[in-house]
Amino acid sequence: MPDKVSSSRYSGRRRNNAVAMALSLAATAFGLGWLVLILGSLLWEGFSGLSLAVFTEMTPPPGASGGLLNPIVGSLALTGLAVLIGTPIGILAGTYMAEYGRYDRLTSVVRFINDILLSAPSIVVGLFIYEIMVAPMGHFSGWAGGVALAVLVIPVVVRTTEDMLTLVPNALREAATSIGLPRSLSITRICYRAARAGMLTGVLLAVARISGETAPLLFTSLNNQFWSTNLNAPVASLPVVIFQFALSPYKDWQALAWTGALIITLAVLILSITARALVTTGKQS
Amino acid sequence: MSAEAVTRAKVLDRLRLGDAVFCHLTRAAALGVLLLLSGVIISLIDGSIPALRTFGFGFFVSERWNPVTDNFGALPAIYGTVLTSFIAMLIAVPVGLMIAFFLTELCPQWLRRPIGIAIELLAGIPSIIYGIWGLFVFAPFLQETLQPFLINTLGNVPGIGSAFAGPPYGIGMLTSGLILSIMVLPFVTSITRDVFEAVPPVLKEAAYGLGCTTWEVVRNVVLPYARVGVIGGIMLALGRALGETMAVTFVIGNAHRISASVLAPGTTISATIANEFTEAVGDLYTSALIALGLILFVITFIVLAIARYLLLRIERRIG
């Protein structure tokens, strides 16, 4: 009898193990399935609308044909503005944390706060910029949209800059100091160069993050049906146009929204894959 | 002093000045990050004062949301935010843990990286994409399949039946929760996988040596050891779910009421702000929306702070 008991307990344990393994396999298939489903329906719905006109014509009124030129240009302008404002601040702050104040109390506080900003709801950032820029200026503007996106760029760049500079071996700093290089030059000429690939990755990840952001733009740069290069006025952007067109009752607009969604997703995926490739080549060399 | 010494002193002075300027510049930028956070908090408090002064504590417990009579209460939005996030975590946590289990213990080495990256790509897809997909593909699908099924089965069970009552709208709380669960899945998975991998192999080998099955090793050795990190990852994902805006805005239905049924349309804090802010006329309406933003920020701040604290603890232990 004891043999039978132990063998039945053993087979029970084996059964549990098999069930758990099957469940974990199913969970992985479940997760990957969503990716395939979402990308599949994006290609299915968006690809047919992809044509030259999308990149050369303005957003149409309902019922007419047109393209997405003004929101694409607007998105590029807002993203560029955000990177121009956010990257220098982020790199400088990350430099302080890794170089000057690596063991400071200030650094650990900034790191904690920065990590929270990294995942803070982006719609709150929109409210913040509305309060400090749109309300005092009295109108929505491209500048406000760019600054709102810059607030999202900063934490990403701070994080990667700090991480990458921390990885730079101290021997490099010591060598730089031993030939009489001042600290600032040893950071900008030696450490930045050593950490270049990683820091660039940070900027790419930040661009990938903001290029699909809609919430902070809704009430900062608003939207614009027409061609405009004036950053002091409302500016069209791809995500906001998708939002507006997708929720409209017009079939043409909905089709354009799908096409825009496909363009954004492809851009984001290419950016994040490039960023990953940069990191791996950086590690190998 | 010779001329050479004078130039040398000048150059050194310039370098010293450059050094000081650069050092202070970086410190100013680091302080700027702190300033950013305090700026967000101060501006939100400042903007929400009119609404909080008018409605007082009632703002948090009132179910009314009526722009015509300027009467606002945050309860339906808070309820929707909490409920959708709860549904999301209910699905994302077990699935995310099982994927991490698969990636660390079962998956062949050469497949680990590709599958890990594919799951992380789910986090890279912008939320507006989830929104448009949810509205045109996922919601109609749920309306025809899962929702009628739930209504016909669980809807008749006494006690919990009212949670699955009503017509299948397609959009609603359940749909939003399901989409959120897909969005936060990668956060649970990637952090759990990282802490699972950090478990010392000796512990696992000892358990295998005693004759444990793979599942028993994970259940009784890996999971308890990695508990703090796993909870940190879950809190991080929860913070994301609470603040997620666009994906939810598309499929929630924007109805300011509290329904017993999870199939009914509702609203969340972020969806309310996204839908109504640009159309809000009157200072009180705007202020009520900013007060909603303040509530959201405080909730996510607390959740994220706990997450970071837990993850910091495990980082210290590993590092």
Side-chain angles (χ1 to χ4, degrees):
Chain A
M1 277 314 272
D3 263 339
K4 218 171 196 177
V5 169
S6 71
S7 87
S8 80
R9 181 178 292 165
Y10 181 56
S11 65
R13 287 173 56 203
R14 283 199 11 186
R15 201 181 50 236
N16 282 347
N17 191 44
V19 168
M21 283 184 173
L23 277 178
S24 82
L25 197 65
T28 311
F30 178 80
L32 294 178
W34 291 121
L35 186 71
V36 173
L37 268 178
I38 292 172
L39 293 182
S41 45
L42 263 179
L43 282 173
W44 179 257
E45 300 273 354
F47 199 74
S48 55
L50 217 51
S51 65
L52 196 62
V54 170
F55 300 98
T56 54
E57 287 177 26
M58 305 295 151
T59 45
S65 71
L68 294 166
L69 178 63
N70 46 333
I72 289 175
V73 172
S75 269
L76 288 177
L78 291 178
T79 308
L81 191 61
V83 170
L84 280 181
I85 301 172
T87 313
I89 299 178
I91 288 185
L92 285 174
T95 305
Y96 178 80
M97 293 160 74
E99 299 287 340
Y100 288 108
R102 195 180 282 191
Y103 306 103
D104 268 12
R105 199 157 175 77
L106 175 65
T107 298
S108 40
V109 175
V110 171
R111 191 181 299 131
F112 194 76
I113 296 299
N114 189 66
D115 279 349
I116 288 179
L117 281 177
L118 203 59
S119 7
S122 56
I123 191 147
V124 171
V125 172
L127 285 178
F128 167 57
I129 299 300
Y130 177 87
E131 281 281 289
I132 64 163
M133 284 184 78
V134 178
M137 285 161 77
H139 59 88
F140 299 100
S141 69
W143 292 111
V147 174
L149 292 182
V151 173
L152 299 172
V153 168
I154 291 172
V156 183
V157 175
V158 170
R159 183 73 194 263
T160 42
T161 306
E162 195 210 346
D163 286 353
M164 292 304 145
L165 284 179
T166 314
L167 289 179
V168 173
N170 266 334
L172 281 181
R173 295 190 184 92
E174 287 156 9
T177 309
S178 73
I179 58 165
L181 217 56
R183 190 109 184 244
S184 57
L185 287 184
S186 94
I187 293 170
T188 49
R189 300 282 164 83
I190 309 287
C191 297
Y192 279 179
R193 254 179 227 192
R196 196 169 42 196
M199 286 161 73
L200 189 62
T201 306
V203 177
L204 286 182
L205 285 178
V207 172
R209 159 120 201 250
I210 60 171
S211 49
E213 277 293 352
T214 320
L217 296 178
L218 286 175
F219 25 85
T220 50
S221 63
L222 202 68
N223 196 358
N224 196 335
Q225 287 283 33
F226 307 103
W227 174 256
S228 163
T229 48
N230 180 7
L231 281 176
N232 214 6
V235 173
S237 59
L238 214 37
V240 177
V241 167
I242 294 174
F243 180 50
Q244 188 198 347
F245 279 18
L247 287 175
S248 75
Y250 313 110
K251 284 276 170 246
D252 311 336
W253 275 17
Q254 290 175 2
L256 266 179
W258 274 110
T259 308
L262 179 65
I263 295 173
I264 287 192
T265 312
L266 289 181
V268 169
L269 292 185
I270 289 170
L271 275 170
S272 40
I273 290 170
T274 316
R276 268 170 206 289
L278 261 178
V279 171
T280 32
T281 51
K283 261 184 200 151
Q284 275 159 3
S285 64
Chain B
M1 236 189 324
S2 69
E4 198 179 316
V6 171
T7 24
R8 191 181 160 79
K10 264 190 190 158
V11 168
L12 279 179
D13 273 351
R14 214 175 54 222
L15 288 177
R16 205 167 287 137
L17 181 73
D19 243 17
V21 167
F22 188 71
C23 177
H24 283 106
L25 215 60
T26 58
R27 189 200 296 271
L31 287 170
V33 174
L34 297 186
L35 215 65
L36 206 59
L37 185 86
S38 24
V40 171
I41 297 173
I42 293 170
S43 73
L44 287 179
I45 292 178
D46 181 58
S48 52
I49 283 175
L52 294 179
R53 191 171 283 159
T54 312
F55 304 112
F57 182 70
F59 183 71
F60 299 96
V61 291
S62 166
E63 243 186 272
R64 222 158 268 140
W65 187 270
N66 192 340
V68 181
T69 59
D70 257 352
N71 197 343
F72 301 103
L75 197 61
I78 296 175
Y79 171 76
T81 303
V82 173
L83 180 65
T84 50
S85 302
F86 179 72
I87 297 173
M89 301 317 288
L90 212 59
I91 297 162
V93 170
V95 174
L97 283 175
M98 286 315 262
I99 296 179
F101 168 44
F102 177 78
L103 284 178
T104 51
E105 303 295 332
L106 299 179
C107 188
Q109 272 300 335
W110 60 275
L111 257 178
R112 284 185 190 184
R113 237 179 96 75
I115 292 183
I117 289 176
I119 296 284
E120 275 164 35
L121 280 185
L122 275 176
I125 297 176
S127 66
I128 184 132
I129 309 301
Y130 283 96
I132 187 171
W133 177 80
L135 180 66
F136 289 117
V137 182
F138 196 47
F141 170 76
L142 287 181
Q143 187 172 23
E144 283 165 20
T145 54
L146 181 69
Q147 294 190 348
F149 171 76
L150 286 176
I151 294 167
N152 291 331
T153 52
L154 293 176
N156 301 324
V157 179
I160 59 163
S162 58
F164 300 96
Y169 290 100
I171 56 172
M173 297 282 204
L174 181 68
T175 312
S176 309
L178 290 176
I179 288 186
L180 280 180
S181 75
I182 306 170
M183 297 186 70
V184 300
L185 184 63
F187 293 97
V188 180
T189 304
S190 66
I191 290 180
T192 311
R193 183 197 53 195
D194 291 349
V195 290
F196 275 12
E197 274 173 356
V199 174
V202 185
L203 288 182
K204 288 196 274 184
E205 283 157 14
Y208 280 122
L210 287 174
C212 286
T213 60
T214 314
W215 169 243
E216 282 164 352
V217 170
V218 171
R219 174 72 193 75
N220 301 318
V221 177
V222 175
L223 201 57
Y225 188 88
R227 194 183 54 225
V228 177
V230 170
I231 297 174
I234 291 172
M235 295 300 266
L236 198 67
L238 178 62
R240 287 279 172 163
L242 289 167
E244 182 45 56
T245 308
M246 296 320 292
V248 173
T249 306
F250 273 92
V251 293
I252 190 83
N254 204 35
H256 280 278
R257 57 165 184 263
I258 297 177
S259 320
S261 171
V262 293
L263 303 178
T267 193
T268 67
I269 294 177
S270 48
T272 305
I273 302 171
N275 267 322
E276 301 181 22
F277 198 82
T278 42
E279 284 147 27
V281 276
D283 291 340
L284 198 59
Y285 194 0
T286 309
S287 172
L289 288 168
I290 294 177
L292 278 183
L294 179 66
I295 297 173
L296 176 66
F297 191 68
V298 171
I299 298 175
T300 47
F301 186 93
I302 294 170
V303 171
L304 291 173
I306 296 173
R308 284 302 166 190
Y309 172 72
L310 294 175
L311 291 175
L312 213 64
R313 249 176 63 184
I314 198 153
E315 249 169 53
R316 265 193 212 128
R317 197 165 68 188
I318 296 167

